[in-house]
C-alpha cells in the first residue's frame, strides 16, 4: 500500500522562510527541529554540512554575510514524488537586484528533510 506524499511545496518553502531567512538563532533552531530529520546532511557546492546545528550555523552565517535585507524567495512551486523534491529560488537584498539563483533538491524521509542539495546557477553574463 502506498503512503501519502508529504506537501513538498510547504516543506521546502518553510525551509527557505523559517530557516534560511530567519535571523533569530533560537527561532531558526526550532524550525530546523520541526523540518529536518535528526541527522540531516546538506551538500553545498564546496562543502558538506552535517547535523541540525551545522545547518543553522550556515544559514545564520549567510544572512550575516549578505546584510540585513538579504532574502531567499521561491520562484515557483516545489515539485516532488517518492521522497525527492525540488524548489527553485532567487536571493538578494530587498528591493535590490537578484544576487544569486538556484535550486534546492531534498530527500524527504517521514515528512522531514534528511538530505538537502543546494544547487547554484551560473551567474548571468
Amino acid at each position: 500500500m502506498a503512503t501519502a506524499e508529504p506537501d513538498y511545496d510547504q516543506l521546502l518553502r518553510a525551509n527557505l522562510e523559517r530557516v534560511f531567512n530567519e535571523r533569530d538563532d533560537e527561532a531558526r533552531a526550532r524550525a530546523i527541529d520541526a523540518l529536518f530529520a535528526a541527522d540531516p546532511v546538506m551538500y553545498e557546492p564546496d562543502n558538506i554540512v552535517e547535523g541540525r546545528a551545522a545547518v543553522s550555523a550556515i544559514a545564520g552565517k549567510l544572512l550575516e554575510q549578505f546584510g540585513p535585507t538579504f532574502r531567499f524567495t521561491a520562484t515557483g512551486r516545489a515539485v516532488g514524488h517518492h521522497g525527492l523534491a525540488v524548489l527553485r529560488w532567487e536571493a538578494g537584498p530587498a528591493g535590490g537586484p537578484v544576487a544569486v539563483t538556484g535550486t534546492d533538491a531534498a530527500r524527504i524521509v517521514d515528512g522531514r528533510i534528511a538530505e538537502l542539495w543546494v544547487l547554484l546557477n551560473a551567474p548571468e553574463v
Side-chain angles (χ1 to χ4, degrees):
M1 183 169 147
T3 59
E5 294 279 353
D7 185 337
Y8 295 114
D9 187 60
Q10 184 278 329
L11 182 60
L12 291 185
R13 283 174 180 272
N15 178 54
L16 274 188
E17 203 53 46
R18 296 174 53 204
V19 175
F20 285 89
N21 283 336
E22 179 56 64
R23 295 177 186 285
D24 179 90
D25 293 340
E26 291 179 15
R28 185 171 54 251
R30 285 191 303 273
I32 288 171
D33 287 348
L35 300 171
F36 281 76
D39 296 309
V41 178
M42 183 172 74
Y43 303 93
E44 298 180 303
D46 55 4
N47 193 21
I48 298 175
V49 177
E50 298 182 48
R52 289 176 174 174
V55 170
S56 183
I58 289 293
K61 196 180 294 183
L62 281 172
L63 291 169
E64 184 179 306
Q65 175 183 348
F66 291 112
T69 66
F70 189 85
R71 294 192 54 73
F72 291 89
T73 306
T75 59
R77 292 187 52 80
V79 296
H81 59 82
H82 295 93
L84 176 67
V86 295
L87 176 68
R88 292 183 178 155
W89 50 262
E90 61 186 25
V98 171
V100 62
T101 62
T103 302
D104 286 346
R107 185 171 71 90
I108 311 302
V109 176
D110 296 328
R112 294 181 180 208
I113 299 168
E115 293 179 280
L116 179 66
W117 288 263
V118 179
L119 307 170
L120 302 178
N121 293 330
E124 303 241 346
V125 223

